Amino acid sequence: MGSHRAAARAPTVHLPGTMTTPVQAGLQRTVRTRSARATEALGERIGRRLRPGDVVALVGPLGAGKTVLARGLARGAGARGYVASPSFVIVREYAGPIPVRHVDLYRLERPEDIESVGLDDVLTDDAIAIVEWADRAPWVLPADHLRIDCALGRGARERVFTLTAPARRADVLTALDR
């Protein structure tokens, strides 16, 4: 899935309506949202920058906003229809200008369960893949994937998203400049 290079580093930016926190130097930015609507809008902004072959790894605890962010990512990438969590079916595919494959590994605990899903057939160069609970199968992710760490913030509605992108995809982080 393309060349796999070490990530370079870039500064933190401020997204209107959210707060950003400086992080260690790198192609990494942290964004805080204060509502599901803002989380979905963040996903849409990033999703508009995705292209075939991109893999987005979403990592974080239950309730940290992974599915809401995934909905925005898919919508921003042009997916049609309602984007729901694929927890029980593991993989959902959405039609659009570029197919979007939404994977949820939450219910898969053993490596052999994950292998049985056939992620090699899901993570292809002709589609965008969004993988929730990606930390359960790091060995299937290409080295140059986009990683978004999702965390609970202060209060019931705040969510914190730390985006890490490979150098070849620095443009994804510029989606946060608007």
Side-chain angles (χ1 to χ4, degrees), residues 2-82:
S3 66
H4 304 294
R5 296 179 281 222
R9 303 294 181 181
T12 300
V13 297
H14 296 277
L15 181 65
T18 64
M19 294 176 15
T20 57
T21 303
V23 294
Q24 290 182 349
L27 275 190
Q28 190 175 71
R29 300 196 183 160
T30 297
V31 178
R32 295 174 182 275
T33 63
R34 292 191 176 86
S35 69
R37 183 179 299 188
T39 296
E40 194 166 332
L42 172 65
E44 285 183 39
R45 230 176 257 120
I46 297 165
R48 284 192 285 274
R49 299 291 180 124
L50 298 177
R51 55 187 183 222
D54 281 342
V55 175
V56 182
L58 302 179
V59 176
L62 281 171
K66 292 182 298 296
T67 300
V68 174
L69 187 67
R71 185 177 307 127
L73 289 165
R75 186 170 300 154
R80 294 189 209 72
Y82 180 75

Side-chain angles (χ1 to χ4, degrees), residues 79-80 86 91-95 98-102 121-122 126-127:
R80 294 189 209 72
V91 178
R92 290 188 189 270
E93 184 165 336
Y94 299 95
I98 304 166
V100 175
R101 297 180 182 135
H102 184 189
D121 296 328
V122 174
D126 66 336

